[in-house]
Amino acid sequence: LFLDLDPGQREFGLPGYISLSLIVKPVLGPNFCQPEPKWEKSVYFGDINVGNNPRRYIECVSLLVKSLPEASKTPLLVNTMGWCQGLGLSLNTEIIRKVKPTVVVQLNSRFKKKNYAHSLSCEYLMSKPSSWTHKTPKLSYSLLEFNAVPERKDAIAMTSKHSWGIPQASILRDIQTLAWMGRRAQVKDLPV
């Protein structure tokens, strides 16, 4: 199962949604080249920026988490957003509390602004008060930290032209939307 909670840079489907899907084929390459998964549930968040309505975002996440199969033997992979400062940290903390994972993978960049201020250990997250609930659940998971795919050695800033050489997020969203529509429109059947 794949829980995609990044409405701005999704792995499957259209921007503005978050979803739960079953992956039945290998996932290789950029998101606009992925095979369609079997959709379990998709929720329209209505924005690519979760900061515009964080309460609604947490409500949408809660809907998907409630739809997870009980005691499933199928592994769950959660894709969260990359926003890791301020409100982004609070939202990702709430996601971890709701999902109760057994393993958390934290990717670190050589650019300090792209990183969490602290490791996302159970102890650290349990010490943070919740902005959405009045109780902090006990967490128990393994934390794995890795360095992100190396940005270009000559990178001097965090812009896309300096990091991985991939287009900006807005361009990737456009490509993903066009690819999604193209798979449905049967463009090959149109006369040229």
Side-chain angles (χ1 to χ4, degrees):
L1 290 173
F2 188 82
L3 186 57
D4 199 347
L5 301 179
D6 186 348
Q9 296 179 344
R10 298 175 40 75
E11 198 58 40
F12 303 104
L14 292 171
Y17 285 82
I18 59 175
S19 62
L20 175 65
S21 50
L22 180 63
I23 306 300
V24 293
K25 294 181 182 175
V27 177
L28 304 169
N31 58 1
F32 53 86
C33 295
Q34 303 300 353
E36 287 290 318
K38 179 181 176 222
W39 298 104
E40 300 294 324
K41 186 167 190 149
S42 187
V43 177
Y44 183 62
F45 172 62
D47 202 332
I48 58 169
N49 183 349
V50 298
N52 289 336
N53 196 342
R55 182 166 302 282
R56 169 147 171 74
Y57 176 71
I58 290 299
E59 289 169 358
C60 291
V61 168
S62 295
L63 281 172
L64 290 175
V65 170
K66 287 177 185 171
S67 68
L68 290 171
E70 291 288 326
S72 174
K73 298 212 184 290
T74 305
L76 174 67
L77 178 65
V78 181
N79 176 37
T80 61
M81 61 193 164
W83 185 15
C84 56
Q85 307 292 331
L87 180 59
L89 171 61
S90 297
L91 292 169
N92 281 331
T93 298
E94 194 65 24
I95 289 168
I96 292 171
R97 288 176 175 156
K98 288 183 176 302
V99 173
K100 298 180 186 107
T102 56
V103 176
V104 170
V105 177
Q106 181 175 340
L107 300 176
N108 296 309
S109 169
R110 69 183 180 99
F111 295 112
K112 191 173 177 114
K113 285 185 174 183
K114 287 185 174 182
N115 294 328
Y116 291 100
H118 303 279
S119 289
L120 299 178
S121 68
C122 298
E123 296 77 21
Y124 175 71
L125 292 190
M126 288 189 305
S127 73
K128 305 283 296 170
S130 174
S131 300
W132 288 272
T133 59
H134 297 293
K135 54 186 173 185
T136 302
K138 180 153 177 51
L139 297 171
S140 177
Y141 57 80
S142 299
L143 175 65
L144 305 176
E145 291 191 63
F146 298 99
N147 291 327
V149 173
E151 294 98 344
R152 290 183 13 202
K153 297 284 184 212
D154 60 344
I156 55 175
M158 294 187 320
T159 60
S160 64
K161 70 178 182 177
H162 290 292
S163 34
W164 299 288
I166 58 175
Q168 294 175 334
S170 60
I171 294 170
L172 287 173
R173 280 190 292 275
D174 290 346
I175 293 169
Q176 187 174 15
T177 301
L178 289 171
W180 186 88
M181 290 189 310
R183 284 192 289 269
R184 281 146 185 79
Q186 301 299 322
V187 174
K188 65 180 180 191
D189 297 335
L190 297 175
V192 179

